[in-house]
Amino acid sequence: MPAVSKGDGMRGLAVFISDIRNCKSKEAEIKRINKELANIRSKFKGDKALDGYSKKKYVCKLLFIFLLGHDIDFGHMEAVNLLSSNRYTEKQIGYLFISVLVNSNSELIRLINNAIKNDLASRNPTFMGLALHCIANVGSREMAEAFAGEIPKILVAGDTMDSVKQSAALCLLRLYRTSPDFVPMGDWTSRVVHLLNDQHLGVVTAATSLITTLAQKNPEEFKTSVSLAVSRLSRIVTSASTDLQDYTYYFVPAPWLSVKLLRLLQCYPPPEDAAVRGRLTECLETILNKAQEPPKSKKVQHSNAKNAVLFEAISLIIHHDSEPNLLVRACNQLGQFLQHRETNLRYLALESMCTLASSEFSHEAVKTHIETVINALKTERDVSVRQRAVDLLYAMCDRSNAQQIVAEMLNYLETADYSIREEIVLKVAILAEKYAVDYTWYVDTILNLIRIAGDYVSEEVWYRVIQIVINRDDVQGYAAKTVFEALQAPACHENLVKVGGYILGEFGNLIAGDPRSSPLIQFNLLHSKFHLCSVPTRALLLSTYIKFVNLFPEIKTTIQDVLRSDSQLKNADVELQQRAVEYLRLSTIASTDILATVLEEMPPFPERESSILAKLKKKKGPGTVTDLEEIKKERNSDVNGGTESTPVNASTVALPDSPLQGSLAELVTGPRPRPSRLNSSRLAIHNLQTGVPCLFKGFFTSEEHSGFWLISLNTSLLSVCMASELNIQSTPSPSADLLGLGAAPLTSSAPPPSSTGSLLVDVFSDSASVVAPLAPGSEDNFASPDLASSEVVSEEPADTVHDADELIHKFVCKNNGVLFENQLLQIGLKSEFRQNLGRMFIFYGNKTSTQFLNFTPTLICSDELQSSLNLQTKPVDPTVDGGAQVQQVVNIECISDFMEAPILNIQFRYGGTFQNISVKLPITLNKFFQPTEMASQDFFQRWKQLSNPQQEMQNIFKAKHPMDTEITKAKIIGFGSALLEEVDPNPANFVGAGIIHTKTTQIGCLLRLEPNLQAQMYRLTLRTSKETVSQRLCELLSEQF
Amino acid sequence: MIGGLFIYNHKGEVLISRVYRDDIGRNAVDAFRVNVIHARQQVRSPVTNIARTSFFHVKRSNIWLAAVTKQNVNAAMVFEFLYKMCDVMTAYFGKISEENIKNNFVLIYELLDEILDFGYPQNSETGALKTFITQQGIKSQLQTKEEQSQITSQVTGQIGWRREGIKYRRNELFLDVLESVNLLMSPQGQVLSAHVSGRVVMKSYLSGMPECKFGMNDKIVIEKQGKGTADETGKSELGSGKQSIAIDDCTFHQCVRLSKFDSERSISFIPPDGEFELMRYRTTKDIILPFRVIPLVREVGRTKLEVKVVIKSNFKPSLLAQKIEVRIPTPLNTSGVQVICMKGKAKYKASENAIVWKIKRMAGMKESQISAEIELLPTNDKKKWARPPISMNFEVPFAPSGLKVRYLKVFEPKLNYSDHDVIKWVRYIGRSGIYETRC
């Protein structure tokens, strides 16, 4: 390279720069620059030609002015002139100006390209280098278009100098990165690969970078590079530190090249050729061995270079994931680094271990370091390292150490840095959920989490707790108790209040038996927190209160007083005010059974991917967590299958036993269209809007009342259900859910439900949200056996009645739900009964996009049934549009007791084919039950009165469901009879009483259910004044337990 | 209220830092330097919000004064205070420069303690301040208790701006009407916008506690008087049609009794001793434009531009305008300029990208002309030259708004001198503000 001669020091430029540096203010600087610009302009304009030196000087000044942030719009021509100079310094400045101030003037571009071409064609390596650097620096598409064909030739030409080859390789790399489409693949590619064998290590380094990038896009074309890279790597690794003189960096031979080669190898799977593979393994072993050797120098550069190679080797090992031996060695090596003095090393070690933890070979090895990692979490000073430690703990967690890790993370949370708290909270929540062996532990952990982390607990976490508690019957009682206890702390976090409010509102009754947590105490406890909470929480608590009204009628007046207080009724917040007003009205006007319907316990949530996991993924960015999770899930699936397989029988509402299994099922079956809760809730709203007002008209003759309901229900019965807080629902799957479509026209009359999307008045039972298999043949999917069994095709009418019996049993204890569903049609039910009268709303939803023609539902009663049951209905519109929904009202009158159930037969034409579906309508005798409260004395007196053997019916049967007291109680109440407490001397027994209303007679019924926990058996005894009634009720009720 | 006050030099070094409230920390000082003084962009808003902290700044030559607050303060009040503060400092040590500030920093802290208390502006009347903040060293031994209590009662009293017992041998007062005229004119000579902002500055050397009454040709007052004498109405409207002016808005010194102005529209006051600004006003109607600029720009090809500018003076021939300067902007790619002018001196200033034409004196109803040939360098830039307006500076000895002082009466009931004994001087100066003509 020609040295810059002393005469080339441009004095004018130096003076100008020092002038600018000395400027006192910005204004002065601008003045000076303006003056200089005018000077340059006059010089460039001047008639006499400038010599190369002055041209260079002025171009330099312009460049300097440009770099100070001023616009330069002239001088390009002069710079291009400099390109054709033969002096290095002038050419250099010209290229510098061009690369910094690229101009899109087409004429200039042509000149520039021409100059570059000339330089490339010249045999002068310096000029070629300058030209290549300029191309690379500009790196525009135009440049790529002009030179992408030429550079590969220079690169592979035999007579090109090494330094030019280096530049050419890097220049091509740059062009490929900016516009890969202009870089032609051709025969040069194979020759580029052979550059890996070049004598000059600089060329090899540059070529490796290029090949790595190219190989990522076209792995096939560069496959041959693997063996070459391996042999090159092995030569470097085995060479003594003195062999590669210029490329030895602090006793490490060619560290950059080694790292690049290892990166290149990471583009490919482990080599298939055994020899190459052996050689590579050898290399990697050597690198691992070298890490054990004592350092040759104490300088930090030495260890940095050595470790750089080592870490790249380890990531290659992880990438290959095929050599257990190497993986374990790598893991041990990293384990040593975990306690290294150097913070960076600890960080890198933890980071690499995270990926190692996901490999099946090294997972166990990683787990041996758990103590060290936990220690790092506690003692590490650098927050980013602690963060990695948390990541690693998360990655290495499995069933065996979940309890320990979760406990440690919870401990750490108290002192954790604010920036990573939220992430730790999410991780704890996920781990606790994923590896929960028993759910009491889960509930404890999460409540602890909320207590410790408070503000850092995102909404998703507490949503998730509630989802799980609602979906799992066995944990509800415990959750209620724990929450109640947690709430007793003098200061508790708002999130805890939310969880507490929700859970007590749903399951407060489960702990109400304990005098320490009697309804009033529960209420007072919650209300003591009320005033400290934000508006959304208060709104939730108001919903809890109205739920309490339903759960505990005894504290109704207390709650009404609270709702009536000015601070609620006249609250400045419109949401709170509306809730208070509506709840108050609801509690005063509605009868107990309306309350019970409206405020029914929330149905289970459909299983889906944990919202927390989704949040963590979002936080981390795709790719990092996902892969890890997926691998772990797959690996865990067999573990879970072995230990936790639960027998699923046809009658259980199949909720996956563990949330993980639910998501596994999802993984296996892939995404399925599922009726989202949002849609079913819309349907429910629809029901309320259309059906309920007329229903109420029957109850309240006064127009005023019904008017009130109309308004109130239209606006917000929605807020009745607490689900509005749980607006975590997935967006409705647009695929085929007719209910959502059916409700769509309603949105104009009821904008709040559709717009907020958080109003989940699911007055329907759980079946609405249970997944229905849409694909035929997937009926054996365990998720929905009950519905599958009800699917009937017209050719098999005999099966109809038989199968539908199951269905009838499902509706014995409740009034609403999805009766039937297949690919075409969904039938929803909502019914109300009062004394001997009833009204049933049947919703037919067209799930397809085509019209149903000749749609005729008919009710068929056997002769025997006709005499005892009077059904009246109006015909429905014979055409049902695609996605639409029609409603049919059935008025029911019970004349005398009956055994069978009426059959609903639906005929319609879909496409070209005629469809015929028959379903039993779940109208059973017990629907006309009215509960009767009586004291112990009365009960036994009546019990004795009905001592006639025909009047008694007894059945001893095995329990089909887990024997849970609370569920049993709920079922007996749902059955229709009153549940009498403290009547039976044995508190484990259940005793009920009620009257069946028919038009002709009223039949008193007494029942007694004695569970035997050891034998998992029940004895059910029924005494009624009529033999057939006893028999029928006994049949119906036996099926429920 | 103001949380703190900082004074910086042009480099952003803090010369004075006075924090009044705890919510302003030291980092606020740096925030202003980084985000405002060293900001890359040219246009700087006088109010800057950085991290919920508001910075109000004014610049005097190379010195930045910044008031800082975290509260939602009245911005106009803060700026009024900053200007007042500049006035006070000028009254104490002359020009505000880095050197002066460094030499007087004890004084400035003293002043800051006095004129701002916990961020609330206090008495900032120079005359009053000078009675107890002096530059003559410590005088407290000499000051008698009586004097001290007098200062206290004056500062806290009803007339805080004037002390009692002032005596002059010659009672004299000077009245300056200072106006600046702003104009934007189209190339065809159409007025696009024009207004005059003026100040009445008074220098009073009067004994005792004189009660003054100031009268000018305010339209409302004149018409009111016209109504009083009904027979004169016709005459005055015909005769003095141009005699009265419509004032758009005005503000007064605190000594003016506003209640009297509101009810009678008469300006009466007890003046502070020495120089003060009696009122500020703005007019937009019937403005006398002292100069007319007629530009003529012709582009000859891509590399040449011919400019011809004629200025005409438009006032009484007996009056003389001074310090006339016309600034003709040149394109950014100017490579050479030739100028010919009939009067004065003209020069191309490359550092300002403009031709500057200076004329020392010019009588009314005259005209003068300049012509210039500008050579251009062809550029790659497609942007056309934006043709910034031609601007002008001048000074004329009359009020372009037409304001006239009708009277200034002085009454001093206790001392025995009357209005006639006071020597009064009135002077009108009209200056150019932003006086631009598009070309």
Side-chain angles (χ1 to χ4, degrees), chain B residues 93-382:
Chain B
F93 50 77
K95 192 170 168 274
I96 298 177
S97 67
E98 184 174 349
E99 185 155 343
N100 275 344
I101 287 174
K102 278 181 177 166
N103 290 338
N104 290 291
F105 85 96
V106 178
L107 171 73
I108 293 172
Y109 278 117
E110 237 180 300
L111 285 172
L112 281 174
D113 279 340
E114 201 56 51
I115 59 179
L116 263 187
D117 186 10
F118 194 48
Y120 292 96
Q122 307 293 311
N123 192 350
S124 55
E125 197 54 51
T126 319
L129 285 170
K130 278 195 168 164
T131 59
F132 51 91
I133 298 177
T134 57
Q135 285 157 290
Q136 277 82 46
I138 304 162
K139 256 171 58 180
S140 58
Q141 272 110 1
L142 302 173
Q143 253 175 349
T144 58
K145 268 238 167 81
E146 203 177 315
E147 265 180 274
Q148 283 176 0
S149 68
Q150 205 184 334
I151 290 172
T152 313
S153 67
Q154 185 219 322
V155 171
T156 53
Q158 205 180 9
I159 303 164
W161 55 87
R162 189 181 179 94
R163 66 191 160 92
E164 294 211 37
I166 300 170
K167 281 225 169 75
Y168 286 102
R169 210 156 51 78
R170 230 152 75 111
N171 290 310
E172 206 172 7
L173 67 85
F174 300 86
L175 210 57
D176 287 353
V177 178
L178 307 170
E179 295 196 338
S180 89
V181 55
N182 299 280
L183 168 78
L184 182 62
M185 195 177 251
S186 76
Q188 288 77 32
Q190 192 184 354
V191 176
L192 300 174
S193 85
H195 73 269
V196 170
S197 56
R199 314 188 294 144
V200 178
V201 177
M202 186 171 163
K203 222 182 258 181
S204 69
Y205 303 104
L206 299 171
S207 312
M209 285 294 215
E211 174 88 38
C212 300
K213 206 171 169 193
F214 174 68
M216 55 179 182
N217 57 342
D218 181 5
K219 199 173 190 174
I220 298 172
V221 179
I222 301 277
E223 276 171 15
K224 222 186 218 172
Q225 284 176 349
K227 239 178 243 170
T229 50
D231 50 356
E232 267 184 278
T233 318
K235 267 188 213 167
S236 70
E237 265 183 17
L238 284 173
S240 64
K242 199 73 180 63
Q243 299 297 300
S244 61
I245 60 160
I247 288 176
D248 286 19
D249 49 53
C250 53
T251 54
F252 293 103
H253 188 266
Q254 60 164 334
C255 64
V256 175
R257 295 198 183 87
L258 292 177
S259 55
K260 249 193 175 151
F261 179 76
D262 285 340
S263 56
E264 302 164 26
R265 225 174 153 83
S266 76
I267 304 165
S268 65
F269 55 96
I270 296 172
D273 198 34
E275 187 173 339
F276 71 101
E277 186 187 286
L278 178 64
M279 72 179 285
R280 248 185 268 176
Y281 58 90
R282 206 170 62 93
T283 68
T284 50
K285 288 196 189 78
D286 301 325
I287 293 166
I288 308 157
L289 296 172
F291 283 97
R292 170 86 206 278
V293 178
I294 304 157
L296 195 74
V297 179
R298 201 159 66 92
E299 282 174 56
V300 189
R302 277 192 67 199
T303 59
K304 210 169 173 189
L305 198 70
E306 280 179 9
V307 182
K308 203 170 120 183
V309 177
V310 180
I311 57 168
K312 283 183 185 169
S313 56
N314 183 27
F315 45 89
K316 272 189 234 160
S318 58
L319 297 174
L320 267 184
Q322 282 183 306
K323 298 177 191 168
I324 302 153
E325 185 186 281
V326 183
R327 181 177 291 263
I328 305 160
T330 56
L332 291 174
N333 54 348
T334 306
S335 61
V337 179
Q338 271 99 48
V339 206
I340 307 159
C341 60
M342 301 180 344
K343 214 178 166 193
K345 282 179 190 165
K347 205 182 164 192
Y348 167 59
K349 284 202 171 169
S351 59
E352 288 155 41
N353 280 322
I355 299 167
V356 180
W357 176 27
K358 284 181 177 167
I359 304 170
K360 279 199 179 133
R361 245 173 244 107
M362 192 170 174
M365 305 314 267
K366 290 261 170 66
E367 74 172 64
S368 188
Q369 181 183 310
I370 184 174
S371 59
E373 259 180 37
I374 301 171
E375 277 181 77
L376 304 174
L377 186 77
T379 64
N380 313 308
D381 224 348
K382 297 282 183 291

Side-chain angles (χ1 to χ4, degrees), chain A residues 502 598 602-603 605 608 676-682 684-685 688 717-730 753 756-764:
Chain A
Y502 198 104
V598 171
M602 291 298 290
F605 291 87
R608 68 170 72 78
S676 80
R677 291 173 54 75
L678 199 57
N679 288 342
S680 53
S681 69
R682 282 208 195 133
I685 291 157
L688 286 169
L717 242 192
L718 327 167
S719 43
V720 164
C721 266
M722 310 176 68
S724 57
E725 279 79 43
L726 278 188
N727 46 8
I728 32 164
Q729 306 308 327
S730 60
T756 59
S758 62
L759 305 153
L760 300 170
V761 189
D762 207 337
V763 279
F764 269 13

Side-chain angles (χ1 to χ4, degrees), chain A residues 23-27 30-32 34-35 38 41-42 44-45 68-69 71 73-76 103 105 108, chain B residues 10 39-40 42 44 59 62 303 332-335 348 350-353 375-381:
Chain A
C23 281
K24 281 265 197 284
S25 66
K26 200 150 193 164
E27 290 72 26
I30 289 168
K31 279 189 173 170
R32 179 70 185 91
N34 279 339
K35 200 173 147 198
R41 278 195 300 260
S42 66
F44 282 174
K45 176 80 179 179
L68 281 178
D71 280 339
D73 51 5
F74 66 99
H76 296 82
N103 198 290
N105 186 324
L108 270 177
Chain B
H10 72 281
R40 285 200 68 76
Q42 281 294 309
R44 295 179 181 115
K59 214 180 160 193
N62 266 339
T303 59
L332 291 174
N333 54 348
T334 306
S335 61
Y348 167 59
S351 59
E352 288 155 41
N353 280 322
E375 277 181 77
L376 304 174
L377 186 77
T379 64
N380 313 308
D381 224 348

Side-chain angles (χ1 to χ4, degrees), chain A residues 413-459:
Chain A
L413 196 56
E414 299 199 48
T415 53
D417 200 81
Y418 295 110
S419 53
I420 56 173
R421 275 200 184 172
E422 194 181 346
E423 203 181 309
I424 298 181
V425 168
L426 286 177
K427 284 183 167 158
V428 169
I430 291 167
L431 291 178
E433 183 189 334
K434 193 148 78 178
Y435 300 113
V437 183
D438 73 284
Y439 277 84
T440 54
W441 175 73
Y442 172 75
V443 170
D444 282 344
T445 308
I446 296 292
L447 289 182
N448 226 349
L449 188 67
I450 294 174
R451 186 180 58 77
I452 294 170
D455 287 338
Y456 297 92
V457 176
S458 57
E459 299 280 283

Side-chain angles (χ1 to χ4, degrees), chain A residues 194-473:
Chain A
H194 285 281
L195 285 179
L196 288 176
N197 268 336
D198 200 284
Q199 293 293 315
H200 193 266
L201 277 189
V203 176
V204 183
T205 314
T208 315
S209 301
L210 174 65
I211 293 169
T212 309
T213 310
L214 292 173
Q216 276 160 1
K217 286 274 167 62
N218 329 294
E220 278 308 308
E221 282 197 59
F222 294 90
K223 221 168 182 175
T224 46
S225 64
V226 173
S227 61
L228 288 175
V230 170
S231 65
R232 174 57 87 174
L233 183 66
S234 92
R235 261 181 285 159
I236 295 170
V237 167
T238 52
S239 70
S241 56
T242 48
D243 286 355
L244 311 157
Q245 285 172 353
D246 281 353
Y247 288 86
T248 301
Y249 178 82
Y250 288 87
F251 306 104
V252 184
W256 280 276
L257 181 53
S258 313
V259 164
K260 283 184 175 171
L261 288 170
L262 288 164
R263 282 255 166 90
L264 171 60
L265 290 173
Q266 281 175 48
C267 302
Y268 291 97
E272 280 142 28
D273 184 358
V276 176
R277 194 177 176 147
R279 210 163 168 201
L280 177 60
T281 313
E282 212 171 277
C283 279
L284 294 172
E285 266 170 0
T286 319
I287 294 172
L288 287 174
N289 286 341
K290 274 192 180 169
Q292 296 293 340
E293 286 171 14
K296 291 196 180 97
S297 159
K298 285 204 169 136
K299 288 256 168 75
V300 67
Q301 288 95 330
H302 171 70
S303 56
N304 276 352
K306 209 164 94 175
N307 290 330
V309 178
L310 178 64
F311 273 106
E312 209 52 53
I314 288 174
S315 49
L316 179 64
I317 293 168
I318 295 169
H319 171 76
H320 283 174
D321 198 13
S322 59
E323 301 276 346
N325 181 27
L326 282 178
L327 280 165
V328 171
R329 278 195 63 184
C331 182
N332 292 340
Q333 183 61 50
L334 291 175
Q336 287 179 12
F337 284 149
L338 283 183
Q339 280 155 315
H340 202 277
R341 253 179 333 107
E342 189 70 31
T343 313
N344 290 338
L345 271 185
R346 291 198 299 269
Y347 180 94
L348 287 170
L350 287 169
E351 198 181 28
S352 306
M353 270 210 176
C354 262
T355 30
L356 269 179
S358 58
S359 161
E360 56 177 316
F361 301 114
S362 55
H363 185 74
E364 287 306 314
V366 171
K367 268 168 69 179
T368 57
H369 297 292
I370 183 165
E371 292 302 332
T372 325
V373 179
I374 288 171
N375 207 27
L377 196 62
K378 284 176 183 159
T379 55
E380 186 58 61
R381 263 174 300 148
D382 189 315
V383 61
S384 59
V385 181
R386 287 200 297 266
Q387 163 111 46
R388 289 295 135 224
V390 172
D391 284 351
L392 179 54
L393 277 183
Y394 178 70
M396 68 164 66
C397 188
D398 61 18
R399 195 161 290 278
S400 64
N401 54 15
Q403 298 238 6
Q404 185 195 2
I405 286 179
V406 168
E408 285 299 340
M409 280 168 107
L410 269 179
N411 268 343
Y412 172 57
L413 196 56
E414 299 199 48
T415 53
D417 200 81
Y418 295 110
S419 53
I420 56 173
R421 275 200 184 172
E422 194 181 346
E423 203 181 309
I424 298 181
V425 168
L426 286 177
K427 284 183 167 158
V428 169
I430 291 167
L431 291 178
E433 183 189 334
K434 193 148 78 178
Y435 300 113
V437 183
D438 73 284
Y439 277 84
T440 54
W441 175 73
Y442 172 75
V443 170
D444 282 344
T445 308
I446 296 292
L447 289 182
N448 226 349
L449 188 67
I450 294 174
R451 186 180 58 77
I452 294 170
D455 287 338
Y456 297 92
V457 176
S458 57
E459 299 280 283
E460 283 83 354
V461 173
W462 77 264
Y463 290 163
R464 192 67 190 151
V465 186
I466 284 171
Q467 284 180 9
I468 285 173
V469 169
I470 296 229
N471 284 8
R472 297 201 49 96
D473 297 348

Side-chain angles (χ1 to χ4, degrees), chain A residues 128-143:
Chain A
M128 286 173 89
L130 279 177
L132 286 169
H133 293 171
C134 178
I135 297 170
N137 278 331
V138 175
S140 64
R141 287 187 69 80
E142 292 79 25
M143 283 284 179

